[in-house]
Amino acid sequence: MDTASSSKPETSLLLNSLPKELPAEFLKDITDGFSPKRQLGRGAFGTVYRGTLTDGTEIAVKKIGSGSLVTPDKQFQNEVGNLMAVRHDNIVKLVGYCYEMKKTVVEHNGKYIIADTVDSLLCYEYMRMGSLENHIFAPSTLDWATRFKIIKGICQDFGLSRLFGAEQTRMHTLNVVGAHGYMAPEYLYRGEISTQLDIYSLGLLIIEITTGERNPRSKDDMSARNLVENVRQSWTIEHIVSKYSSLDANSLQQLKVCIEIGLQCVETDRKKRPPIEHIVNKLDGRLWDKQ
């Protein structure tokens, strides 16, 4: 996830004039053949590279991992269209994409055959401040006011919860794919998808930003239960007051609320997780007097 900035770099005229559907060869060229030296990060669904246009403008090129699901062309383009339509200060702008079918010779059961493969890539504005995780963990210069602003910004426009709204019929998948350490237990073990799925991931992110403690993202702890239990036991009001003795009463209340929200979001029982509207209201202070 990229940090939002009040002074985003200006988008170049070349970037604005680029066709939205970009050739795979073009994206390969501007990333030096997807060179490891240009790698910005790696996630469950692909690897991100820094691409440089002819006028020096940089963009982030996400190459969808070969192990991820291949989305049909029409569905992929519809999803890209939705992403391009999004305009929000806390969401990195999608500026282009690539979806190219090609024939490739592969080995199958001891024989070489010609198979259809797909190059799927997404292109985003390049954020010079880098990933959020570059700033929130110790040693960090972020004060509490900045951390709280980041948390509120993330929650004001968030994922599946905003798209689905109220609870709907659950879905299931046999293809469990996601970032290590951020998967809700019901998704990890049962392939269950619902509106509370990304609330779990949001809760872990809130916990990380609030405490400055890193989710280890271990294959042995895909739901980060060790981090959750550590925060549940250690981050008491006494610990908060002791660690942040310089904060005023209002800031301490904000911090306490963020810990509470984070822990509610990562409840093992998905039905106990709060809806995004409740989280936003609580962060705005509208529910504090009801505690």
Side-chain angles (χ1 to χ4, degrees), residues 163-183:
L163 296 177
F164 284 140
E167 171 68 2
Q168 294 186 8
T169 303
R170 285 172 286 160
M171 299 179 290
H172 291 79
T173 178
L174 297 177
N175 301 290
V176 175
V177 180
H180 294 165
Y182 289 92
M183 297 189 204

Side-chain angles (χ1 to χ4, degrees), residues 160-233:
L160 293 174
S161 303
R162 284 292 192 187
L163 296 177
F164 284 140
E167 171 68 2
Q168 294 186 8
T169 303
R170 285 172 286 160
M171 299 179 290
H172 291 79
T173 178
L174 297 177
N175 301 290
V176 175
V177 180
H180 294 165
Y182 289 92
M183 297 189 204
E186 72 273 11
Y187 176 66
L188 178 62
Y189 299 112
R190 300 189 297 276
E192 184 179 295
I193 302 173
S194 73
T195 57
Q196 289 86 9
L197 175 61
D198 61 348
I199 291 293
Y200 189 94
S201 301
L202 174 63
L204 289 173
L205 186 58
I206 291 173
I207 287 173
E208 286 186 317
I209 297 172
T210 303
T211 65
E213 295 186 12
R214 187 185 295 271
N215 180 349
R217 306 182 191 181
S218 167
K219 290 184 178 179
D220 299 323
D221 188 18
M222 299 285 275
S223 297
R225 298 314 300 176
N226 290 333
L227 172 65
V228 170
E229 292 309 313
N230 177 63
V231 171
R232 196 183 303 279
Q233 294 177 19

Side-chain angles (χ1 to χ4, degrees), residues 88 107 125 127 140 198-199 243 248 289:
H88 194 281
E107 185 178 0
E125 283 183 308
M127 306 301 288
S140 173
D198 61 348
I199 291 293
K243 186 176 179 66
D248 58 28
D289 57 351

Side-chain angles (χ1 to χ4, degrees), residues 4 33 37 48 61 66 80 89 96 117 126 158 168 176 178 192 204 206 209 221-222 225-226 279 282 290:
K37 293 182 180 180
V48 182
V61 180
S66 58
V80 166
D89 287 342
T117 60
Y126 178 69
F158 189 79
Q168 294 186 8
V176 175
E192 184 179 295
L204 289 173
I206 291 173
I209 297 172
D221 188 18
M222 299 285 275
R225 298 314 300 176
N226 290 333
I279 294 172
K282 199 163 186 179
K290 298 182 180 180

Side-chain angles (χ1 to χ4, degrees), residues 211-281:
T211 65
E213 295 186 12
R214 187 185 295 271
N215 180 349
R217 306 182 191 181
S218 167
K219 290 184 178 179
D220 299 323
D221 188 18
M222 299 285 275
S223 297
R225 298 314 300 176
N226 290 333
L227 172 65
V228 170
E229 292 309 313
N230 177 63
V231 171
R232 196 183 303 279
Q233 294 177 19
S234 303
W235 282 77
T236 62
I237 185 61
E238 292 80 8
H239 175 76
I240 293 172
V241 172
S242 174
K243 186 176 179 66
Y244 294 96
S245 56
S246 62
L247 294 182
D248 58 28
N250 186 60
S251 296
L252 288 173
Q253 176 67 3
Q254 292 172 350
L255 206 153
K256 175 176 175 288
V257 165
C258 286
I259 292 291
E260 291 175 351
I261 290 174
L263 291 176
Q264 289 170 4
C265 289
V266 296
E267 287 282 356
T268 302
D269 182 351
R270 67 176 185 84
K271 295 180 181 179
K272 293 182 179 180
R273 298 172 201 158
I276 190 65
E277 292 79 10
H278 176 92
I279 294 172
V280 171
N281 285 336

Side-chain angles (χ1 to χ4, degrees), residues 5 26 33 61 64 66 76-77 80 94 100 102 106-107 117 120-121 132-133 148 158 166 176 205 216 221 280 290:
S5 171
F26 170 77
V61 180
I64 307 300
S66 58
F76 179 83
Q77 294 199 32
V80 166
L94 184 70
E100 281 189 12
K102 63 182 179 181
V106 297
E107 185 178 0
T117 60
S120 301
L121 303 104
L132 179 63
E133 67 180 1
F148 189 58
F158 189 79
V176 175
L205 186 58
D221 188 18
V280 171
K290 298 182 180 180

Side-chain angles (χ1 to χ4, degrees), residues 107-122:
E107 185 178 0
H108 179 69
N109 293 333
K111 297 181 180 180
Y112 287 96
I113 62 173
I114 298 177
D116 289 328
T117 60
V118 177
D119 283 330
S120 301
L121 303 104
L122 297 172

Side-chain angles (χ1 to χ4, degrees), residues 135-156:
H135 302 275
I136 64 175
F137 299 116
S140 173
T141 57
L142 292 184
D143 57 18
W144 170 247
T146 303
R147 289 176 182 269
F148 189 58
K149 184 178 180 180
I150 291 172
I151 291 172
K152 290 183 69 174
I154 291 171
C155 292
Q156 285 168 358

